Amino acid sequence: MKLSQLLTAPNQLTLLRMMFIPFIVIDLVAGHYRWALILFVLAGFSDGLDGLLARTLKQQTVLGQYLDPIADKLLLSTMFMVLAILHKIAWKYTVLVFSRDISILFASAVLYAIAGLRNFRPSIFGKANTFAQVAAVLFVLLLEVHPVRWVWIARLTFLRAVFAFTIVSGVHYVFLVGHRLRAHPEGRGT
């Protein structure tokens, strides 16, 4: 990996998004939900902008392909953990999100070590799961800032969507892994 990959505008934005995380946590723990919400929205905006810049400026890098999903998972996992500790999200959602992510990380490492498989693009269910997680966190924070019924309903709806999509995307991932192993020459048993 070259240093030039780290210095591209999209990767710099991704690193900036990762730097938002401790400040969001500080605001959450201090009860400054409005600031936490603002920083979370800025982090989400930077996520969309880094992808757009990478395509527009033709600055797509191998580092960015790994760094962007790591930043997303780090942000969302941290948010779920801290919000569960603060009793703003039920633990069952956090445990489910962490279990799925750790399982996928472990399976990816094993597949890379055993068969050299690297390309793990998110499925449509994985993307739906990520969207549901972002929306759930957004509405959990918004409910703290603006406690009205429609926000409470949206919060509940997206938390239930997180529960469903986490399970569906996890099961789908298991099927994809099985398919990739059967299709890979070393996975056929020689």
Side-chain angles (χ1 to χ4, degrees), residues 46-62:
S46 76
D47 186 24
L49 185 59
D50 68 13
L52 179 66
L53 284 176
R55 288 184 297 279
T56 305
L57 301 175
K58 300 203 184 327
Q59 292 185 343
Q60 295 167 314
T61 64
V62 173

Side-chain angles (χ1 to χ4, degrees), residues 2 19 26 29-30 38 41 43 46 48 50 58 72 94 98 103-105 107 110 130-131 139 146 148 164 170 178 185:
K2 296 179 182 176
M19 290 172 44
I26 289 167
V29 171
I38 290 168
V41 168
S46 76
D50 68 13
K58 300 203 184 327
D72 293 345
T94 301
F98 268 83
S103 297
I104 288 174
L105 182 63
V110 168
T130 300
F131 176 78
F139 284 109
H146 191 63
V148 294

Side-chain angles (χ1 to χ4, degrees), residues 109-120:
V110 168
L111 288 174
Y112 178 72
I114 292 173
L117 297 175
R118 290 185 191 185
N119 188 8
F120 295 101

Side-chain angles (χ1 to χ4, degrees), residues 73 100 104 121-133 165-166 168-170 172-173:
K73 288 296 173 198
R100 175 192 172 270
I104 288 174
R121 290 195 175 140
S123 70
I124 188 71
F125 300 113
K127 290 180 180 182
N129 184 40
T130 300
F131 176 78
Q133 287 181 21
F165 280 121
T166 299
V168 169
S169 64
H172 185 247
Y173 186 78

Side-chain angles (χ1 to χ4, degrees), residues 5-14 50 53 57 59:
Q5 286 190 23
L6 189 60
L7 299 177
T8 64
N11 289 343
Q12 290 292 302
L13 270 175
T14 301
D50 68 13
L53 284 176
L57 301 175
Q59 292 185 343

Side-chain angles (χ1 to χ4, degrees), residues 70-89:
I70 288 170
D72 293 345
K73 288 296 173 198
L74 193 57
L75 174 64
L76 288 170
S77 296
T78 302
M79 295 301 291
F80 269 83
M81 180 63 74
V82 173
L83 290 169
I85 290 169
L86 296 173
H87 305 289
K88 303 301 178 186
I89 290 179

